[in-house]
Amino acid sequence: MRSHSARLRDLWRDPVAVASFLLTWGGFVLGTLHRGFFALIAVGLFGPWLLRGLGLLKQDEFREEAARRAAEIALATTGVFLVSILVANGMGGTFSQAEQITHDAIPASLPLLILALSYQLASLMRFWGARIAASRVFFGIGVVWICLAVVVAFLDETSLSAEDIAVFALIALFFMGLALLSLHRPRIAGGIALLLSLILVWMAGFMEVQAKNVPWDWVAFDTVLTAVPFAVPAFALLFERPEPDDNEELPDSVFDAVL
Amino acid sequence: MGTPNLINHLRSHRGELSQLALAECVGVSRQTIISIEKGRFRPSVELALRLARALDTTVEALFILADTQGDRK
């Protein structure tokens, strides 16, 4: 196995990919403070494409191919989503009259979020291979979950009970387990992740029905943000093709896969 | 999809040439070498020629067309 420091050096060997990732997600986070920061998303997502198109950026050919394949998946995903909205709107039967979604009512941030999420996740799946990439994504979700739990514990005036803490820890353990399963039982992990993403979509529909005062675009935004990170690795794991010359060692543990 | 190849085999026979060393030799990332070896990525003609030169062989000896795999073995 290679040392962790060598793997970290590999990660930073492509400054364009790292800058694109940081700008895109920094834009989403900072955009909640001021909408002007959403411009960073455009720079992060489309900047490398514009530079490549102008012949000002030359990357490793595998990285370029990974980006192209990810862009195809992102285009298809976003297209299917937008067409589904238009069809649902035209049929008029999916939503009640009061909630009828007009074309103008679809916030631009929603397809942009789908585009960004599916593009970045698909490029990771292509770049690292489905198993390792999915493992890293699920591990990352677990870490984010723990961070959120800590923030909630600090911000929430009503202190968390022991039961709440146990539930938080169990969910984090579930994500770590899914990360480990992705390495050694990709089809099972993919099935669980797909099921989880479907449950998240169903829960969003349930919320939409139950909480009439919640704007539908908030629900849709949260659903995309939570379901897509499971759906993309799920499809990658389920449709992973067997590799005859499996000469790259699979990491023994999730921690080896992360670094 | 990529093309079956003997890169890993030839690396081992060239004094355990590492993936990173080969990657630096031909001017690509280590992940590119991994993906080619595993048949996940089909390199350009230029990269295939550079790989063949680095491994002191020919492109024809390095890559295997699917319908000629039986002939090689």
Side-chain angles (χ1 to χ4, degrees), chain A residues 60-62 126 241 243, chain B residues 1 29 32 35 38 40 44:
Chain A
D60 181 300
E61 63 182 65
F62 174 59
R126 178 72 184 143
R241 293 179 192 176
E243 290 162 349
Chain B
M1 281 300 287
S29 67
T32 304
S35 301
K38 295 182 87 170
R40 283 209 313 256
S44 64

Side-chain angles (χ1 to χ4, degrees), chain A residues 28-245:
Chain A
F28 267 116
V29 173
L30 294 172
T32 57
L33 303 175
H34 189 281
R35 281 183 178 267
F37 284 114
F38 279 134
L40 293 176
I41 301 171
V43 177
L45 263 185
F46 307 116
W49 288 97
L50 288 173
L51 291 175
R52 271 190 222 112
L54 292 169
L56 299 172
L57 177 64
K58 184 72 184 157
Q59 277 182 294
D60 181 300
E61 63 182 65
F62 174 59
R63 288 178 201 274
E64 286 190 1
E65 195 256 7
R68 197 163 47 245
R69 289 283 295 272
E72 286 172 5
I73 291 169
L75 176 69
T77 311
T78 312
V80 166
F81 167 78
L82 288 174
V83 169
S84 304
I85 290 286
L86 292 178
V87 169
N89 188 41
M91 285 162 64
T94 309
F95 306 99
S96 68
Q97 198 62 38
E99 291 172 319
Q100 192 72 257
I101 299 168
T102 63
H103 301 178
D104 296 339
I106 302 169
S109 55
L110 196 55
L112 187 62
L113 179 66
I114 293 173
L115 187 78
L117 265 180
S118 50
Y119 172 73
Q120 300 236 322
L121 287 166
S123 59
L124 290 182
M125 298 297 135
R126 178 72 184 143
F127 187 70
W128 282 322
R131 292 189 201 191
I132 292 176
S135 177
R136 287 173 177 170
V137 168
F138 295 145
F139 184 86
I141 291 171
V143 170
V144 169
W145 177 264
I146 291 169
C147 293
L148 280 176
V150 171
V151 169
V152 167
F154 273 107
L155 294 182
D156 198 0
E157 289 177 2
T158 57
S159 60
L160 291 174
S161 67
E163 282 177 7
D164 294 335
I165 293 169
V167 169
F168 271 122
L170 273 177
I171 293 174
L173 268 178
F174 168 77
F175 292 137
M176 302 299 175
L178 198 56
L180 188 63
L181 204 60
S182 304
L183 291 175
H184 302 289
R185 294 282 183 275
R187 300 279 189 266
I188 297 172
I192 294 172
L194 186 61
L195 189 65
L196 191 58
S197 64
L198 291 174
I199 289 172
L200 287 166
V201 171
W202 176 79
M203 280 171 65
F206 185 74
M207 276 175 63
E208 175 76 11
V209 173
Q210 293 294 311
K212 291 289 180 193
N213 55 341
V214 179
W216 82 270
D217 54 329
W218 287 20
V219 176
F221 203 85
D222 286 347
T223 307
V224 167
L225 204 55
T226 50
V228 174
F230 291 102
V232 174
F235 281 108
L237 288 170
L238 288 172
F239 293 98
E240 183 198 33
R241 293 179 192 176
E243 290 162 349
D245 186 17

Side-chain angles (χ1 to χ4, degrees), chain B residues 3-70:
Chain B
T3 309
N5 60 78
L6 301 174
I7 295 175
N8 184 38
H9 176 77
L10 287 173
R11 274 198 308 108
S12 307
H13 282 75
R14 295 281 185 279
E16 291 294 330
L17 181 66
S18 70
Q19 289 171 330
L20 184 60
L22 178 61
E24 285 173 350
C25 186
V26 298
V28 295
S29 67
R30 177 179 160 268
Q31 201 64 36
T32 304
I33 301 296
I34 292 171
S35 301
I36 296 170
E37 284 187 359
K38 295 182 87 170
R40 283 209 313 256
F41 173 58
R42 186 177 294 152
S44 64
V45 173
E46 187 188 336
L47 180 53
L49 285 165
R50 275 190 273 142
L51 284 168
R53 182 178 290 180
L55 292 166
D56 195 21
T57 185
T58 61
V59 173
E60 289 88 342
L62 201 54
F63 293 93
I64 308 163
L65 273 177
D67 59 354
T68 60
Q69 278 187 68

